[in-house]
Amino acid sequence: MSETNPSAQHFLDLIRKSRRGKFKIYIGMSAGVGKTFRMLQEAQALLRNGIDVKIGYIETHNRKETHDLLEGLPVIPRRKLFYKGKELDELDVQAVIGLRPEVVVIDELAHTNIEGSKNDKRWQDVLEVLEAGINVISAVNIQHIESLNEEIKNITGVEVKERIPDSVLGAADEVVNIDLTADELITRLKEGKIYRPEKIQTALNNFFKPDHILQLRELALKEVASQVERKVESEIPRLVASRREKFLACISSNESTARHVIRKTARLASYYNSKWFLLYVQTPKESQDNIALDKQRHLINNFKLATEMGAEIVRVQSSNISEAIIEVAEQREITTICIGKPHITLIRVILATNLFNNLLKKLSSSDIDLVILS
């Protein structure tokens, strides 16, 4: 049987999935909603029912009611290491895999590991633990989801640096939203249950404004609803066959616009539980010899971002961008092409070739949708 045989590959995927640990994520609109508290409550319940559950990494933030829930739970010692003259600690992935508990609790999914660690991010540690067949319970805030990065910045005015790819959330077997009203969360903040007293007023003046909280709460609720919908669609067979969506994000060497198109397309693909591709058409003006080094670096970073968010990268060389887009779309059986707003370089080039109308006609006749992302 050929290694590329689709039937064999499907069976292999089923085997790998059966060996992989189950993954549960608690998600919240912000710090302080009770994700860690709920994880520890669940760990205590599992322990009472005879399940071998251990704490791999937990951050109680010195909250007494949360810290009290650690009592009686086996804790795996953290890995100690020195960084810039300070002793710091991290999740000990190898210790977790060596002990092989049935369930391990690993907090702070979006955490960036200390320089020199095997993995750059904790979500990569978690995937490694899952691949070892160990079930994981973890937690993350909505602002750490990669495809929501720009939306979060527009709401809060803060660009969140620590992020996880949407595919990590999509890999979860269960996503649970820990929900509080804005008033409840602000009350917890004022009572000192989230931050130390000296940080409370700053938090109230910035991230914890009522309108911010309401918008973040809506995003969290929508995200969990989407996850449930995708799970239903993937696990319950449909009686009527429907068109399977495939998205093609088209970018130029414009860094900021490209990242916007990537995140928006990833969001669409995640919502429809669909495959997506990233297309960069390299024109003679941007050949290896002509392209500026900073643009080349931005392209590489954007390819990496798209890959982390689940895209397959397609690079083609052509002096005619419109025709290249059509050709790739037909080859990959794309249903929706996504491009940036008309002010970006890509659209200027398309319009300059006088082939934009031909592109639209071609897409229309082949039943491919065109989405211009704002």
Side-chain angles (χ1 to χ4, degrees):
M1 184 179 287
S2 168
E3 289 184 8
T4 58
N5 185 308
S7 177
Q9 184 61 48
H10 177 67
F11 188 55
L12 183 59
D13 290 343
L14 287 174
I15 292 171
R16 285 175 178 161
K17 189 174 181 181
S18 69
R19 289 175 178 170
R20 178 181 170 274
K22 297 296 181 185
F23 189 18
K24 183 172 186 175
I25 298 177
Y26 282 101
I27 194 168
M29 59 184 164
S30 74
V33 295
K35 301 179 301 298
T36 303
F37 187 86
R38 187 67 65 86
M39 283 196 298
L40 291 175
Q41 278 186 323
E42 183 168 355
Q44 289 284 4
L46 291 170
L47 191 66
R48 286 194 299 271
N49 283 277
I51 301 297
D52 177 17
V53 57
K54 288 181 170 56
I55 303 300
Y57 193 101
I58 206 78
E59 189 56 73
T60 65
H61 300 286
N62 296 317
R63 295 167 192 153
K64 185 181 183 303
E65 67 270 29
T66 304
H67 194 272
D68 288 349
L69 280 172
L70 276 170
E71 188 175 347
L73 290 170
V75 178
I76 298 172
R78 299 178 183 181
R79 183 170 59 93
K80 303 285 184 182
L81 62 160
F82 283 90
Y83 182 67
K84 294 185 177 180
K86 294 182 180 179
E87 186 183 57
L88 303 170
D89 51 38
E90 289 284 12
L91 168 70
D92 194 333
V93 178
Q94 293 311 309
V96 172
I97 293 173
L99 288 168
R100 297 196 66 80
E102 287 180 75
V103 180
V104 63
V105 177
I106 301 175
D107 204 357
E108 304 282 351
L109 189 59
H111 170 78
T112 300
N113 291 332
I114 297 167
E115 193 174 315
S117 300
K118 179 185 175 184
N119 297 315
D120 294 333
K121 303 286 186 177
R122 182 161 295 156
W123 61 262
Q124 294 170 318
D125 294 337
V126 167
L127 294 183
E128 197 173 324
V129 172
L130 289 166
E131 288 302 316
I134 300 167
N135 304 308
V136 176
I137 301 173
S138 191
V140 71
N141 288 328
I142 191 66
Q143 63 262 33
H144 297 291
I145 307 302
E146 180 65 64
S147 69
L148 293 173
N149 184 251
E150 291 178 16
E151 200 166 344
I152 296 294
K153 186 178 179 180
N154 291 336
I155 293 170
T156 65
V158 177
E159 183 174 7
V160 179
K161 299 297 183 184
E162 292 188 316
R163 305 187 292 269
I164 68 168
D166 292 53
S167 56
V168 175
L169 202 63
D173 298 280
E174 189 176 355
V175 179
V176 179
N177 183 43
I178 305 300
D179 188 38
L180 289 179
T181 65
D183 289 342
E184 287 171 333
L185 185 62
I186 290 171
T187 298
R188 282 181 56 79
L189 177 64
K190 289 178 177 177
E191 290 174 348
K193 293 181 178 179
I194 300 176
Y195 295 132
R196 291 192 299 272
E198 64 270 20
K199 289 188 174 183
I200 292 174
Q201 194 56 51
T202 303
L204 285 169
N205 294 339
N206 294 282
F207 201 88
F208 283 78
K209 290 180 179 178
D211 59 322
H212 291 175
I213 294 170
L214 287 171
Q215 291 176 80
L216 293 171
R217 185 186 186 197
E218 182 183 15
L219 284 179
L221 290 167
K222 281 182 177 178
E223 184 59 42
V224 174
S226 295
Q227 291 291 332
V228 172
E229 188 175 344
R230 286 193 287 275
K231 192 172 179 63
V232 169
E233 286 182 353
S234 63
E235 294 187 3
I236 299 176
R238 292 186 178 183
L239 297 176
V240 181
S242 60
R243 184 173 85 155
R244 192 70 179 168
E245 296 289 342
K246 277 188 183 180
F247 293 88
L248 178 68
C250 303
I251 66 166
S252 68
S253 56
N254 182 310
E255 182 202 11
S256 59
T257 304
R259 292 177 83 83
H260 178 73
V261 170
I262 288 167
R263 289 193 175 112
K264 286 274 190 175
T265 308
R267 195 83 190 139
L268 283 168
S270 176
Y271 181 80
Y272 286 99
N273 194 26
S274 303
K275 188 174 178 62
W276 72 286
F277 302 84
L278 179 74
L279 172 64
Y280 167 63
V281 181
Q282 186 181 59
T283 61
K285 286 183 179 180
E286 293 190 343
S287 65
Q288 200 73 23
D289 297 330
N290 295 329
I291 190 169
L293 285 175
D294 61 331
K295 286 190 173 184
Q296 196 170 32
R297 187 173 65 253
H298 294 329
L299 275 171
I300 291 169
N301 289 337
N302 283 331
F303 292 155
K304 182 183 177 186
L305 173 65
T307 301
E308 286 181 349
M309 298 182 76
E312 181 179 323
I313 309 300
V314 181
R315 296 181 66 170
V316 298
Q317 294 179 345
S318 176
S319 58
N320 191 313
I321 293 178
S322 302
E323 289 183 359
I325 291 173
I326 293 166
E327 187 177 339
V328 170
E330 290 178 341
Q331 287 173 351
R332 306 289 175 136
E333 299 179 335
I334 298 299
T335 60
T336 305
I337 293 173
C338 301
I339 57 178
K341 282 198 294 188
H343 67 269
I344 69 168
T345 305
L346 176 62
I347 303 297
R348 281 195 190 136
V349 173
I350 291 174
L351 291 172
T353 60
N354 292 320
L355 282 172
F356 191 59
N357 286 335
N358 290 338
L359 174 63
L360 292 178
K361 287 176 185 176
K362 186 72 174 176
L363 296 180
S364 177
S365 64
S366 59
D367 198 30
I368 298 174
D369 297 325
L370 177 65
V371 175
I372 298 177
L373 299 169
S374 60

